[in-house]
Amino acid sequence: MKFKGTITHLSQKGLGVVKNIQNNISYFVYGTWPGDSGEFEVIDKPLNNKKFAYAKLLHLTQPSAYRQIPACPYASLEENACTGCPWMIADYTSQLEQKRSRFVYAMKRVGFDTASLAIGSIHPAPQLYGYRNRCQVKTDGVKLGFVSENSYQIVPINDCMVLNEKCRNLLKITRQSLPNSAWHADSGHNWQLIELDDDMQADEIRSNQKRPFKQGNTAQNEWMQAWLREKLANNPQPGKVVELFCGSGNFTQIIAESDCTAIIAYESEAGAIQALKARNLAKVMPQTVDLFDPVVWKKLKKNVSDAETLVLDPPRAGLKKHQGFFTSFIALKNIYYISCNPETFARDAWFFSQNGWTISDIQLVDLFPHTPHVEALAVFTKA
């Protein structure tokens, strides 16, 4: 079915939304921006919702005032195009506005009066290209590239302009090693993964070997570290600190610089904890624990009940386990929450607010230009 319409807004996943007045169904459309008018066609993509479905843009009759031609040759509306930077179709100012809107909507949806939260503008990325310090490519031994969300196939690429120079060179070296029979997909998979980051050397390139997690934008990560350093410096008595999802110590090192008395750093990935232990940071006690265990807070109560400060930087799932949390963290005075997902942050923030905590500061940060991703840094204080 074909229909005409105008993109009115973006979904929480960053897709354009257009309503078909013929059937009163709203459609999610890849590669569109608010203000785009055109002809659309419904596509057969499963979505278990009677009010929403998927469509594709056939013809753009009137482009949005914010639309621009993507700088990357691999970004297009073709089915086999790379979908890694879907917002490259819009100017950067508009991208930042949409990211802030995404966060505000998530907070409103759970129940917050966002007018009272003083959510300021997003701290922009200093580089719009060449900023990424890591990536994950896929290969079947013949093709190497990223998997398209539209076709679920490998999109072969020769270069990636959002990667920094070190990663672009590693990508080039990886491509030169094709074809490679050792990288052929096995019977249970369509491809193998290869992780590249600017901490590795060319002789370390391996298939199906995960690299330790690190924030993907070095300049913005340093800015976030500076934000946390300043917040902790303004805390006259941080006391004992518990850090959840500490990884290999990206923020632990900042906490260790503060006037805190002790730090217990928790992480589920044993390799990350080993890396953190090797750093020998003062006052830090690294511990491996499953932070998504349903009874994790009961297990940790003895060690965390006297903590006055909490720092957490969870994955996209957020804090997730709420039951027993505040009956274990009974001495908390300050919470510093660093989030990569507005929806799970809003859920957790609402949980905090229902237990007597208020948000005293929110700062949004753009780590990944040309994507819907937005990072949130927040301070919670006991009401």
Side-chain angles (χ1 to χ4, degrees), residues 139-158:
T139 182
D140 57 7
V142 178
K143 294 183 292 184
L144 177 84
F146 301 111
V147 175
S148 171
E149 285 189 27
N150 295 328
S151 67
Y152 304 109
Q153 300 297 316
I154 295 175
V155 179
I157 60 168
N158 296 316

Side-chain angles (χ1 to χ4, degrees), residues 47-68:
L47 180 64
N48 190 24
N49 191 312
K50 293 182 179 180
K51 294 183 179 180
F52 295 92
Y54 287 97
K56 66 178 180 180
L57 177 65
L58 291 178
H59 304 291
L60 186 65
T61 55
Q62 180 63 48
S64 166
Y66 307 106
R67 181 177 273 274
Q68 65 180 15

Side-chain angles (χ1 to χ4, degrees), residues 293-298 319-328 351:
D293 181 338
V295 293
V296 61
W297 312 127
K298 185 177 180 180
L319 183 61
K320 199 172 182 180
K321 300 302 176 185
H322 292 170
Q323 186 174 359
F325 184 82
F326 283 115
T327 55
S328 296
F351 165 66

Side-chain angles (χ1 to χ4, degrees), residues 46-95:
L47 180 64
N48 190 24
N49 191 312
K50 293 182 179 180
K51 294 183 179 180
F52 295 92
Y54 287 97
K56 66 178 180 180
L57 177 65
L58 291 178
H59 304 291
L60 186 65
T61 55
Q62 180 63 48
S64 166
Y66 307 106
R67 181 177 273 274
Q68 65 180 15
I69 298 173
C72 176
Y74 300 103
S76 75
L77 286 176
E78 298 299 321
E79 191 175 79
N80 61 344
C82 179
T83 54
C85 298
W87 283 14
M88 205 178 277
I89 61 172
D91 70 64
Y92 190 54
T93 299
S94 183
Q95 290 184 34

Side-chain angles (χ1 to χ4, degrees), residues 278-300:
R279 298 174 71 169
N280 293 315
L281 296 174
K283 301 179 283 190
V284 178
M285 292 180 289
Q287 301 286 331
T288 305
V289 67
D290 178 6
L291 293 169
F292 292 143
D293 181 338
V295 293
V296 61
W297 312 127
K298 185 177 180 180
K299 291 180 178 179
L300 299 184

